[in-house]
Amino acid sequence: MRDLTGIHSSPSLCDRYWWSTFAYGMPKCSFNQIFGLHQEKFAQRKIKFLRPNLVVIIDVPISVAMQRMKKQGRKLDHHEKPKKLKVVRKNYEFLQNRGLDDSINVD
């Protein structure tokens, strides 16, 4: 993990951040367990946990996502199976409903 202490905030865009960690990790742990672990790890390293100004969720039906991945010719990993994606989608909805960060859905 890179130490971001003292770095001034500037616009940035990333395709994965803490929301995806939670959405994919919550089937094994609760939100509070994962959030507590993040807080603990950042505190140990004396790093400020940067929160996004906006989270953009690309929300398409799982069948559409599967078609897109197959069209790319990719071999699907264990996170990209329909059963797993259904759980992940519910976890993103859970996070969005908590109002933790500003978020929007696009399709």
Side-chain angles (χ1 to χ4, degrees), residues 13 16 20 25 36 38 47 49 56 64-66 75-76 79-80 91 100 102:
L13 180 67
R16 300 273 179 179
S20 63
H38 275 69
I47 299 172
F49 184 68
V56 178
V64 172
M66 298 300 295
K75 183 178 178 187
L76 304 181
H79 292 297
E80 298 169 326
N91 289 340
L100 301 169
D102 287 338

Side-chain angles (χ1 to χ4, degrees), residues 35-88:
F35 194 75
L37 180 61
H38 275 69
Q39 287 181 316
E40 179 184 318
K41 293 297 179 187
F42 277 81
Q44 286 174 355
R45 293 180 172 94
K46 296 181 173 76
I47 299 172
K48 182 181 178 188
F49 184 68
L50 301 175
R51 300 289 293 269
N53 292 352
L54 179 67
V55 176
V56 178
I57 299 170
I58 301 172
D59 188 19
V60 298
I62 293 170
S63 61
V64 172
M66 298 300 295
Q67 288 173 352
R68 289 177 181 175
M69 288 185 280
K70 287 179 183 177
K71 189 175 179 179
Q72 293 173 350
R74 294 179 28 214
K75 183 178 178 187
L76 304 181
D77 68 24
H78 66 281
H79 292 297
E80 298 169 326
K81 307 292 187 203
K83 186 176 178 180
K84 173 76 172 187
L85 291 174
K86 186 175 182 178
V87 172
V88 169

